Amino acid sequence: MKKILLIEDNELNRDMLSRRLQKRGYEVVTAVDGETGITMAQAEAPALILMDVSLPGIDGLEATRRLKAAPQTRHIPIVALTAHTMASDRDKALAVGCDDFDTKPIELPRLLEKIETLLGQGPRA
Amino acid sequence: MTTDRTTLNHLRHELHTPLNHIIGYSEMLLESASEGSIVGMEPRLRELHEHAQQLMLLVDEVLGRTRKDNEIDLRRLSTEASGPISSIIAAADELKAQAQQTAAVEVGQDLERIASAAHTLHTMIADGVSAPPVAPLTDADTARIAVVPLPTGETGNILVVDDNAANREMLSRRLARAGHRVQVVANGPDALTLLRQQPIDLVLLGCAHAADERLRSVAAPHHR
């Protein structure tokens, strides 16, 4: 079962997305801020990270920068999640090393497709 | 309301958050309904989901189309959002009662989250829209408002101020059943007008109006 780390500060968004991913066969671990997210990425070695961009403390962009700079975590694909739909947000996320980008409200089929593309297969492969 | 792009983005984000919760949770419940683990709720859930989508379009349209001088038409947002928001709350409450009967605890919790997000949205929109100007009450006005504590068991004249029709209806019926004489108004200016005309023992003020300075001036003498 593939493990996804969801870094998201909003409790309801975390609850929704983790339950929906679990239902589709993924194992989901969660973190509420950038610092915890970095620690968990090292400890849990997830197959993929979903990163909310606007996090308290170290924001999602900075957390991505640090994860992509560390040899232990740099290979983990990161999908940035943001509420903003402006092209500049997308560019910023990609510039710091995010592998893909999605906007809220989450359209689950669209996000799943991105996750599956990055993982190469479905949840259980 | 005049605003710059940062404020606009912030406002959009603030309004999107509860909307995303309503849409997300209703989609999850619809998924469960299509899998057969929730029975008999699908039509109402679908309506609820559509109302939320409609609100999202409205928010994006109002915030996307800034008028001259970068002014956002919050009044339009307030007017047009109240119907769908009330429908969402009503549907969520109804489905919640249904979930309770069938002891579907998790479904009930998700519906509660939807209702709570809809209330949040309602308050945010109501707070963002300033009421039309009305003259503040004078000392003579406030002096005429009866400030007599009711002994336990006695009834009184109660004024309910709430812009949500469902809340007004519910509260006034329950108070009337308890023997009180109840009057309802939907907004601050109407409340002030009525307070000038009649003796009122108690004002029950919806949260959205609690920030209204003019109404606070009415409440102030009572709190002494």
Side-chain angles (χ1 to χ4, degrees):
Chain A
M1 197 186 282
K2 293 265 168 86
K3 192 191 281 180
I4 293 179
L5 169 61
L6 169 62
I7 310 175
E8 160 72 77
D9 63 323
N10 185 291
E11 188 195 339
L12 296 191
N13 286 342
R14 215 164 51 232
D15 174 61
M16 276 192 295
L17 196 48
S18 57
R19 279 167 55 190
R20 295 177 96 175
L21 291 168
Q22 278 160 1
K23 217 166 147 185
R24 279 156 184 86
Y26 290 101
E27 181 185 351
V28 183
V29 286
T30 59
V32 298
D33 56 52
E35 224 155 289
T36 319
I38 294 170
T39 312
M40 287 193 63
Q42 290 159 349
E44 299 277 343
L48 182 136
I49 296 172
L50 294 174
M51 177 80 78
D52 179 25
V53 168
S54 28
L55 291 169
I58 301 173
D59 72 11
L61 297 178
E62 179 54 30
T64 301
R65 214 176 272 126
R66 294 191 193 181
L67 287 167
K68 290 294 183 183
Q72 198 193 340
T73 50
R74 68 189 327 155
H75 66 281
I76 306 172
I78 299 180
V79 179
L81 302 176
T82 169
H84 312 297
T85 48
M86 289 192 300
S88 61
D89 291 313
R90 180 180 172 277
D91 295 344
K92 269 186 229 162
L94 298 178
V96 297
C98 288
D99 299 85
D100 209 335
F101 173 90
D102 210 313
T103 51
K104 299 177 194 174
I106 299 292
E107 275 179 35
L108 201 65
R110 186 181 66 197
L111 180 63
L112 283 171
E113 203 175 307
K114 291 179 179 176
I115 291 173
E116 278 162 29
T117 306
L118 286 167
L119 290 179
Q121 308 94 358
R124 284 173 210 283
Chain B
M1 182 177 164
T2 305
T3 185
D4 55 39
R5 187 137 297 278
T6 317
T7 317
L8 196 65
N9 276 336
H10 174 74
L11 193 60
R12 184 182 292 123
H13 181 247
E14 291 290 296
L15 292 170
H16 272 193
T17 300
L19 265 173
N20 286 340
H21 293 158
I22 299 170
I23 292 172
Y25 278 107
S26 57
E27 277 175 5
M28 286 166 76
L29 291 168
L30 277 167
E31 280 166 22
S32 301
S34 72
E35 291 157 7
S37 50
I38 296 179
V39 181
M41 290 189 177
E42 197 172 342
R44 285 296 262 160
L45 279 172
R46 209 161 282 288
E47 275 173 39
L48 192 157
H49 184 252
E50 273 164 26
H51 285 305
Q53 302 270 32
Q54 201 183 322
L55 279 172
M56 185 65 101
L57 288 176
L58 175 70
V59 165
D60 285 348
E61 199 190 315
V62 169
L63 298 192
R65 185 191 297 160
T66 47
R67 299 188 306 194
K68 60 176 164 44
D69 308 327
N70 282 332
E71 210 168 283
I72 304 173
D73 195 355
L74 282 178
R75 184 161 298 281
R76 179 184 160 208
L77 186 60
S78 167
T79 311
E80 292 184 23
S82 71
I85 293 177
S86 302
S87 304
I88 289 170
I89 294 172
D93 285 346
E94 190 185 301
L95 290 167
K96 212 164 64 185
Q98 209 174 316
Q100 263 159 13
Q101 280 168 9
T102 55
V105 180
E106 200 178 46
V107 174
Q109 283 168 349
D110 287 347
L111 288 161
E112 179 56 45
R113 290 180 178 121
I114 290 175
S116 150
H119 279 292
T120 303
L121 192 63
H122 169 79
T123 309
M124 277 162 70
I125 292 176
D127 280 353
V129 183
S130 54
V134 78
L137 289 186
T138 62
D139 285 350
D141 289 324
T142 45
R144 283 189 16 248
I145 300 168
V147 195
V148 184
L150 291 174
T152 314
E154 282 201 21
T155 59
N157 291 317
I158 300 181
L159 172 62
V160 174
V161 189
D162 200 308
D163 48 2
N164 183 296
N167 287 348
R168 283 201 303 274
E169 162 80 9
M170 192 175 60
L171 197 51
S172 63
R173 274 167 56 184
R174 294 176 79 174
L175 289 167
R177 205 179 298 157
H180 299 287
R181 287 172 298 280
V182 187
Q183 310 215 45
V184 295
V185 291
N187 56 52
D190 285 353
L192 292 171
T193 307
L194 202 136
L195 282 165
R196 287 203 178 88
Q197 294 163 351
Q198 302 178 22
I200 296 290
D201 299 310
L202 177 73
V203 180
L204 293 173
L205 202 55
C207 291
H209 299 289
D212 189 318
E213 282 299 326
R214 296 161 315 220
L215 282 171
R216 267 223 279 266
S217 73
V218 177
H222 297 244
H223 288 159
R224 272 207 290 264

